[in-house]
């Protein structure tokens, strides 16, 4: 079977998908955390893998960067591969002093100035939300594992580079803890297709301290988040 952007057999895609942005990170997750791993997609080098964690079948499928790319993969996986749940595991830039590099955030609401919801479904909204049941599971698992998990809103931006500085407005008006670029599309698609989605983020850079992580640190430093999400669904 093939869709416009995925060439996988339907039975090779699990009903639960973990979704990093970066295809290399998908390979890292499969190599480090899953057993009996099989490569299930390589179209456009969006390398995806299906394997097992605690006997549970899980697919790791990258989203690429930004709302349009997330929109393609989330829609095709939910609509054509019968995926029930997608959990994005990504990185974000922190707007808050108390959020340091490698801290974890579970996204409650995603605020965006994007037109995605209107284009996708005709719904004129700037706020989308993660699945509350799934979020509760992730919160409970974090408690059991003694992992600090911040819960809050993020700004889902269409521009990594922006000439405007609206950070203080986003914090004041929408209570955003951090910025990333994919959650808004994932939440909206999941809601419209009656599926489940959550987003967990690791802070990879800070607008306050100006600290940043390297690409290698990000690849390796995300283990806490990956472990939390895999434990939450197994
Ligand atoms: N901006 C947008 N997306 C991001 C950032 C950022 O600073 N860091 C990680 N994802």
């Amino acid at each position: 079977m093939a869709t416009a952007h995925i060439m996988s057999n339907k039975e090779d895609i699990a009903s639960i998908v973990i979704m990093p942005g970066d295809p290399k990170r998908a390979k890292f997750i499969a190599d480090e955390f899953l057993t009996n791993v099989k490569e299930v997609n390589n179209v456009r080098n969006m390398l995806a893998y299906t394997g097992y964690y605690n006997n549970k079948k899980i697919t790791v499928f990258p989203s690429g960067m930004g709302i349009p790319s997330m929109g393609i993969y989330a829609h095709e996986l939910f609509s054509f591969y019968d995926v029930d749940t997608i959990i994005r595991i990504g990185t974000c830039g922190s707007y808050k002093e108390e959020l340091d590099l490698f801290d974890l955030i579970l996204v409650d609401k995603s605020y965006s100035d994007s037109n995605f919801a209107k284009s996708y479904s005709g719904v004129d909204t700037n706020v989308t939300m993660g699945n509350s049941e799934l979020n509760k599971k992730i919160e409970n698992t974090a408690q059991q594992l003694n992992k600090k998990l911040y819960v809050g809103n993020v700004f889902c931006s269409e521009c990594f580079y922006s000439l405007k500085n609206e950070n203080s407005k986003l914090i004041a008006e929408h209570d955003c803890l951090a910025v990333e670029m994919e959650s808004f599309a994932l939440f909206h698609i999941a809601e419209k297709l009656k599926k489940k989605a959550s987003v967990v983020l690791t802070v990879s850079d800070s607008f306050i301290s100006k600290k940043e992580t390297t690409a290698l640190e990000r690849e390796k430093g995300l283990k806490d988040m990956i472990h939390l999400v895999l434990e939450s669904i197994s």
Side-chain angles (χ1 to χ4, degrees):
M1 168 178 175
T3 60
H5 305 90
I6 302 174
M7 203 183 293
S8 308
N9 295 322
K10 206 163 174 177
E11 64 273 18
D12 283 342
I13 301 290
S15 63
I16 296 190
V17 171
I18 304 297
M19 189 166 265
D22 180 356
K24 264 176 55 195
R25 213 171 291 150
K27 176 153 176 42
F28 175 78
I29 296 165
D31 288 345
E32 295 275 324
F33 289 89
L34 304 184
T35 55
N36 278 327
V37 171
K38 177 176 178 181
E39 185 186 296
V40 295
N41 187 62
N42 61 16
V43 177
R44 286 179 180 252
N45 260 344
M46 292 303 257
L47 298 170
Y49 304 88
T50 294
Y52 292 82
Y53 184 82
N54 288 345
N55 291 323
K56 188 153 192 125
K57 188 176 174 183
I58 287 166
T59 295
V60 188
F61 207 115
S63 65
M65 287 185 285
I67 287 171
S69 187
M70 170 59 87
I72 289 170
Y73 293 105
H75 180 86
E76 290 187 14
L77 289 166
F78 280 143
S79 295
F80 309 131
Y81 283 94
D82 289 347
V83 168
D84 170 67
T85 300
I86 297 179
I87 304 180
R88 159 165 158 73
I89 47 170
T91 56
C92 62
S94 157
Y95 288 152
K96 297 275 181 174
E97 187 152 15
E98 64 269 28
L99 280 165
D100 206 356
L101 299 186
F102 296 112
D103 280 345
L104 300 182
I105 300 175
L106 174 66
V107 178
D108 179 23
K109 296 190 188 82
S110 173
Y111 169 78
S112 185
D113 48 12
S114 143
N115 213 37
F116 180 84
K118 206 168 169 194
S119 300
Y120 182 75
S121 68
V123 175
D124 196 359
T125 183
N126 295 106
V127 179
T128 61
M129 290 186 76
N131 180 277
S132 55
E133 215 175 294
L134 191 54
N135 281 1
K136 202 78 225 146
K137 261 196 206 168
I138 296 169
E139 272 189 79
N140 289 342
T141 308
Q143 259 178 7
Q144 282 160 20
L145 296 174
N146 237 337
K147 271 189 219 273
K148 173 95 186 118
L149 180 67
Y150 292 85
V151 181
N153 305 340
V154 295
F155 174 49
C156 184
S157 178
E158 288 187 304
C159 300
F160 187 89
Y161 299 103
S162 170
L163 304 182
K164 298 194 293 185
N165 182 352
E166 292 195 321
N167 296 357
S168 44
K169 186 168 162 226
L170 292 162
I171 297 165
E173 289 180 14
H174 302 285
D175 208 12
C176 294
L177 302 177
V179 54
E180 52 85 76
M181 302 183 72
E182 294 82 16
S183 58
F184 185 82
L186 175 60
F187 289 162
H188 184 66
I189 293 170
E191 187 197 328
K192 287 291 140 196
L193 299 180
K194 299 192 170 30
K195 305 279 185 169
K196 289 180 229 151
S198 285
V199 173
V200 183
L201 303 167
T202 297
V203 175
S204 63
D205 46 271
S206 167
F207 286 81
I208 307 292
S209 67
K210 311 287 180 205
K211 286 193 275 189
E212 288 176 2
T213 49
T214 64
L216 193 64
E217 277 175 339
R218 282 198 292 280
E219 187 171 322
K220 307 282 182 224
L222 304 178
K223 283 189 172 179
D224 252 15
M225 171 170 63
I226 299 161
H227 182 233
L228 166 63
V229 167
L230 288 171
E231 285 293 322
S232 302
I233 55 177
S234 64

